[in-house]
Amino acid sequence: DVKVTQSSRYLVKRTGEKVFLECVQDMDHENMFWYRQDPGLGLRLIYFSYDVKMKEKGDIPEGYSVSREKKERFSLILESASTNQTSMYLCASSLWDRSNSPLHFGNGTRLTVT
Amino acid sequence: LAKTTQPISMDSYEGQEVNITCSHNNIATNDYITWYQQFPSQGPRFIIQGYKTKVTNEVASLFIPADRKSSTLSLPRVSLSDTAVYYCLVGGANAGNNRKLIWGLGTSLAVNP
């Protein structure tokens, strides 16, 4: 079974801090995603990566960056955390060789910025 | 660009069949339709996927009409443990490696005893 592990379930950070959210998958998937989930807004894509060191902006990349130095690991970075980045962050992975490959999600990191 | 629309919430009772319909009028030729289930404090979990007609697995059925502008997730004989949020996802690979995936906002299903 595919496992996507997010390093923290809960995080509390202060405004202006640099925040790192880590995600690791164990199924050799090429694609990895970072979403944020907010009530009434559903899942919104922040960044997508289809290979090591490759990344593409999603729908809401402002205030975020990503790093993918190894295939299994995809990090989301909040350069200077702000209160409007308080949210649930979900990481996912999938195979890239099929357009219908399902996404496998981690259990999320609930980030609170005070 | 495809847009997916689904009801915000639904109520049901144990043992009933539940049908959740998703509208995706601008679905592209190479797009698949996928449904996910999400419980509180967990990530979404894959339920079922289809391209056209009907697909059935051990937990659900997915009905897709010929024009593919909508799809219906059918949950037979729901139980309390089916209380969750159900997401409709439309998308697939576009040019290059960019995967454009369009999520619905989710349908919160409450199953009552």
Side-chain angles (χ1 to χ4, degrees), chain A:
Chain A
D1 222 13
V2 177
K3 191 165 185 184
V4 178
T5 303
Q6 295 184 229
S7 54
S8 303
R9 291 301 302 271
Y10 300 94
L11 273 179
V12 180
K13 297 291 181 181
R14 293 195 178 275
T15 301
E17 278 193 81
K18 190 169 186 176
V19 181
F20 293 86
L21 303 184
E22 306 287 346
C23 174
V24 177
Q25 50 96 2
D26 66 358
M27 281 302 293
D28 204 35
H29 284 172
E30 292 82 8
N31 294 331
M32 295 190 76
F33 306 78
W34 274 107
Y35 285 92
R36 66 176 281 178
Q37 185 174 37
D38 300 287
L41 298 178
L43 284 85
R44 293 181 291 167
L45 181 65
I46 305 172
Y47 266 99
F48 159 69
S49 169
Y50 55 90
D51 201 353
V52 174
K53 297 189 186 297
M54 306 304 290
K55 61 185 179 184
E56 290 187 12
K57 292 180 179 179
D59 299 317
I60 51 164
E62 296 79 18
Y64 304 94
S65 62
V66 290
S67 172
R68 193 161 180 206
E69 297 296 320
K70 294 184 178 181
K71 190 175 185 180
E72 67 270 19
R73 186 179 296 271
F74 193 33
S75 302
L76 180 69
I77 303 153
L78 286 66
E79 297 291 342
S80 177
S82 64
T83 55
N84 63 12
Q85 293 179 309
T86 291
S87 185
M88 169 69 86
Y89 290 88
L90 291 164
C91 175
S93 71
S94 72
L95 293 168
W96 85 270
D97 57 345
R98 291 167 54 195
S99 64
N100 60 333
S101 177
L103 272 66
H104 299 265
F105 284 86
N107 280 330
T109 296
R110 186 166 293 282
L111 173 67
T112 302
V113 183
T114 61

Side-chain angles (χ1 to χ4, degrees), chain B:
Chain B
L1 202 62
K3 178 181 177 182
T4 57
T5 304
Q6 53 184 124
I8 294 173
S9 63
M10 294 183 71
D11 278 287
S12 184
Y13 292 92
E14 285 189 288
Q16 288 189 334
E17 178 184 78
V18 171
N19 296 309
I20 307 174
T21 296
C22 182
S23 171
H24 28 79
N25 290 323
N26 296 321
I27 189 169
T29 303
N30 62 347
D31 285 346
Y32 283 78
I33 300 153
T34 313
W35 284 81
Y36 290 80
Q37 176 191 55
Q38 186 179 26
F39 297 112
S41 300
Q42 294 185 20
R45 181 176 68 101
F46 171 86
I47 301 175
I48 197 166
Q49 182 182 78
Y51 183 80
K52 60 181 179 180
T53 64
K54 177 184 175 182
V55 179
T56 297
N57 62 22
E58 63 276 8
V59 298
S61 295
L62 179 59
F63 300 91
I64 305 169
D67 65 7
R68 304 201 327 123
K69 292 185 177 182
S70 66
S71 58
T72 299
L73 172 72
S74 180
L75 304 173
R77 298 178 300 282
V78 294
S79 64
L80 297 176
S81 62
D82 293 315
T83 294
V85 178
Y86 293 83
Y87 287 95
C88 171
L89 172 64
V90 172
N94 292 331
N97 289 314
N98 181 28
R99 292 187 53 158
K100 194 61 181 178
L101 303 171
I102 309 299
W103 292 84
L105 293 182
T107 298
S108 180
L109 172 66
V111 179
N112 302 292

